[in-house]
Amino acid sequence: MSYRKFDEEFKRNAVKLVESGQTSAQVARDLGLHVNQVYEWCKRFRTEPSTHGNAAHNQDEVTQLRKELERTKMELDILKKAVGIFSRPEVPRRP
């Protein structure tokens, strides 16, 4: 059984592909490697393997979700005020 040897530049380039947003599994398939090898290289070069896209994309999603949460909170406050207004007992009007 022969093992393939990869130079450090190849390994770092594989890690960069993971950092760019590709999943470790996709990088492994594209390079003809086992996914565990890519994970090991990511750990070795102090990079977390990404299975859900890159950090910038995740941060954009967090920002979007925070904006949506804020908008939803405002809508809820408006609905609470409307319920309060329409729940008041009606005061009889004088003729």
Side-chain angles (χ1 to χ4, degrees), residues 62-75:
V62 168
T63 302
Q64 176 192 358
L65 290 172
R66 284 184 178 161
K67 287 179 182 179
E68 185 177 339
L69 176 62
E70 188 63 33
R71 188 183 78 242
T72 303
K73 283 180 178 180
M74 286 178 26
E75 290 173 357

Side-chain angles (χ1 to χ4, degrees), residues 22-49:
Q22 294 185 36
T23 65
S24 296
Q26 183 63 47
V27 171
R29 274 192 301 272
D30 292 347
L31 297 176
L33 303 168
H34 192 276
V35 69
N36 289 344
Q37 188 64 64
V38 177
Y39 282 125
E40 288 300 317
W41 292 345
C42 288
K43 280 195 276 184
R44 182 174 172 193
F45 295 111
R46 297 181 309 171
T47 302
E48 297 241 349

Side-chain angles (χ1 to χ4, degrees), residues 1-62:
M1 177 182 218
S2 66
Y3 291 96
R4 299 187 317 183
K5 297 197 184 244
F6 301 98
D7 63 0
E8 190 168 319
E9 182 181 358
F10 180 86
K11 294 174 185 178
R12 288 189 184 275
N13 285 334
V15 172
K16 285 180 184 177
L17 290 172
V18 174
E19 290 174 339
S20 74
Q22 294 185 36
T23 65
S24 296
Q26 183 63 47
V27 171
R29 274 192 301 272
D30 292 347
L31 297 176
L33 303 168
H34 192 276
V35 69
N36 289 344
Q37 188 64 64
V38 177
Y39 282 125
E40 288 300 317
W41 292 345
C42 288
K43 280 195 276 184
R44 182 174 172 193
F45 295 111
R46 297 181 309 171
T47 302
E48 297 241 349
S50 174
T51 57
H52 302 292
N54 62 15
H57 172 73
N58 290 342
Q59 186 60 42
D60 290 343
E61 185 177 4
V62 168

Side-chain angles (χ1 to χ4, degrees), residues 81-93:
K81 290 177 185 177
V83 167
I85 291 171
F86 291 116
S87 297
R88 291 183 190 159
E90 190 173 318
V91 178
R93 295 186 183 173

